[in-house]
Amino acid sequence: MSQTRSPMKVRKAVFPVGGLGTRFLPATKSMPKEMLPVVDKPLIHYAFEEAKAAGIEQFIFVTGRNKHAIEDHFDHSYELQSTLSQKNKKKELELTSNWLPKAGNVSFTRQQEPMGLGHAVWCARHLIGNEPFAVILADDMVLSKQPCLKQMIEAYDDVGGNILGVMDVPLEKTSSYGIVDIDKSAKNKDKRIVKAKGLVEKPAPADAPSTLSIIGRYILQPDVFSILDKQKPGAGGEIQLTDAICSMIGKQGVHGYRFEGVRYDCGSLVGFVAANVAYSLERTETRERVVDELKEVFKRAGLK
Ligand code: G1P
């Protein structure tokens, strides 16, 4: 695909939500990890809101077994709504449904076996068709002035091709991420945009081409599907999205976008707790009380 062509609008987003969430057991024994709340909204709800704020119109969830709660979340809850309505609880009623996507704008497909992120995205190929699309991993939350995906769509409008949300991580952590091999000869007027000449999934620090890591935000061209069709298992024996994107380098643009904002790794216990604190401090109605409570908690724990 040529990059001189003005890029086609990104209308669809894929949310891979098939993971088992074993790091959060027993909380995730009968509840999808994507339904874990940060303050009062499930992780998947933040991902959905971010996509919506970026202009996404079609929301595609790649689920797995025991993920019904996600489907229910994006549907009406008649009993609850009718009870709230009888009690004239308008605000609560709005929270249950005024954000729901239009009928027909949400789809669910299933990844029958956990074969990796690349495989999960590939499962959405028929729902995407031949157009660019976004991928959002709900585990990765980005607290920012402008929603992360919206920032990336602006970068995409500029350079087209494939855009990956990226940030630097400590060298010892490269083995947890897809890492960008940066093409330093390519200069872009937007300093946040970095051209990739390679990508490596989860390299050991000694083998990492940089410390610039991919976080769970992607804008991809549909060409990735024909690569994923034949993609061999990579790191961890899984079909890796990073490897498929890497194969597109040279045929079409692959850029990293150093987004503005702070990323919380809600796939880890500590990141999840930190996100809860950070997001509760963002809310004016809870901020002061949370600060006071935390001061007390720290004092009791013998910390200043
Ligand atoms: C996935 C991707 C990896 C990326 C990471 C971001 O890994 O494969 O390239 O850096 O998400 O969170 P996972 O965390 O699912 O193992």
Side-chain angles (χ1 to χ4, degrees):
M1 190 164 295
S2 148
Q3 277 168 49
T4 50
R5 211 198 290 169
S6 86
M8 206 173 152
K9 187 171 165 12
V10 183
R11 303 184 307 129
K12 300 183 178 180
V14 175
F15 303 85
V17 291
L20 298 175
T22 48
R23 284 192 204 157
F24 287 89
L25 280 169
T28 49
K29 191 178 168 216
S30 62
M31 180 178 80
K33 67 169 175 172
E34 297 80 9
M35 290 302 291
L36 290 171
V38 167
V39 190
D40 54 5
K41 282 190 255 181
L43 287 171
I44 193 63
H45 193 100
Y46 287 94
F48 160 74
E49 284 185 335
E50 185 180 324
K52 201 168 158 186
I56 297 296
E57 296 159 14
Q58 300 270 336
F59 307 88
I60 299 162
F61 297 86
V62 182
T63 70
R65 277 178 283 283
N66 299 325
K67 298 284 179 171
H68 300 291
I70 298 176
E71 295 189 31
D72 290 342
H73 186 72
F74 290 96
D75 198 352
H76 286 286
S77 171
Y78 283 110
E79 203 179 305
L80 177 61
Q81 284 171 234
S82 110
T83 309
L84 293 173
S85 164
Q86 277 162 23
K87 291 183 188 284
N88 207 23
K89 298 215 171 213
K90 289 204 183 96
K91 202 174 135 229
E92 289 80 357
L93 191 59
E94 277 178 17
L95 289 172
T96 64
S97 55
N98 74 338
W99 48 267
L100 280 178
K102 267 199 244 150
N105 283 12
V106 193
S107 324
F108 298 90
T109 186
R110 272 171 80 144
Q111 183 188 23
Q112 289 126 327
E113 284 170 80
M115 291 172 65
L117 180 61
H119 180 259
V121 169
W122 179 78
C123 289
R125 66 201 178 283
H126 298 302
L127 294 163
I128 296 292
N130 193 27
E131 59 180 286
F133 63 101
V135 177
I136 297 191
L137 307 186
D139 277 0
D140 283 325
M141 293 187 81
V142 180
L143 189 52
S144 52
K145 288 195 201 86
Q146 192 169 183
C148 182
L149 187 65
K150 188 154 198 277
Q151 298 176 41
M152 288 171 58
I153 286 196
E154 280 169 18
Y156 167 77
D157 288 341
D158 186 14
V159 290
N162 303 273
I163 313 274
L164 318 174
V166 293
M167 61 178 245
D168 277 299
V169 295
L171 182 62
E172 65 274 16
K173 297 226 165 125
T174 57
S175 60
S176 300
Y177 297 94
I179 302 291
V180 181
D181 189 358
I182 304 167
D183 180 348
K184 295 205 175 92
S185 67
K187 299 270 177 265
N188 196 287
K189 63 181 185 312
D190 183 344
K191 295 278 170 290
R192 292 186 177 276
I193 298 177
V194 179
K195 190 171 180 204
K197 63 174 178 184
L199 300 172
V200 190
E201 179 69 5
K202 304 200 170 97
D207 304 323
S210 77
T211 54
L212 195 62
S213 72
I214 305 169
I215 63 111
R217 299 290 182 281
Y218 307 77
I219 294 171
L220 300 175
Q221 295 301 321
D223 313 57
V224 76
F225 292 124
S226 56
I227 299 168
L228 285 169
D229 277 341
K230 302 180 208 92
Q231 189 67 50
K232 297 257 166 10
E238 296 192 332
I239 296 174
Q240 297 294 352
L241 185 60
T242 304
D243 295 343
I245 303 168
C246 185
S247 303
M248 293 199 279
I249 296 175
K251 297 178 197 102
Q252 46 181 256
V254 176
H255 289 90
Y257 183 78
R258 292 180 194 268
F259 55 87
E260 167 276 315
V262 179
R263 176 257 191 172
Y264 290 92
D265 175 10
C266 292
S268 79
L269 292 178
V270 174
F272 177 72
V273 172
N276 267 287
V277 174
Y279 279 75
S280 65
L281 291 176
E282 280 299 296
R283 302 254 292 254
T284 42
E285 76 275 21
T286 49
R287 185 182 170 89
E288 266 180 46
R289 280 176 296 144
V290 171
V291 170
D292 291 345
E293 285 289 340
L294 286 178
K295 281 184 187 157
E296 288 303 314
V297 171
F298 286 162
K299 235 188 265 166
R300 272 180 240 130
L303 301 163
K304 280 204 175 151

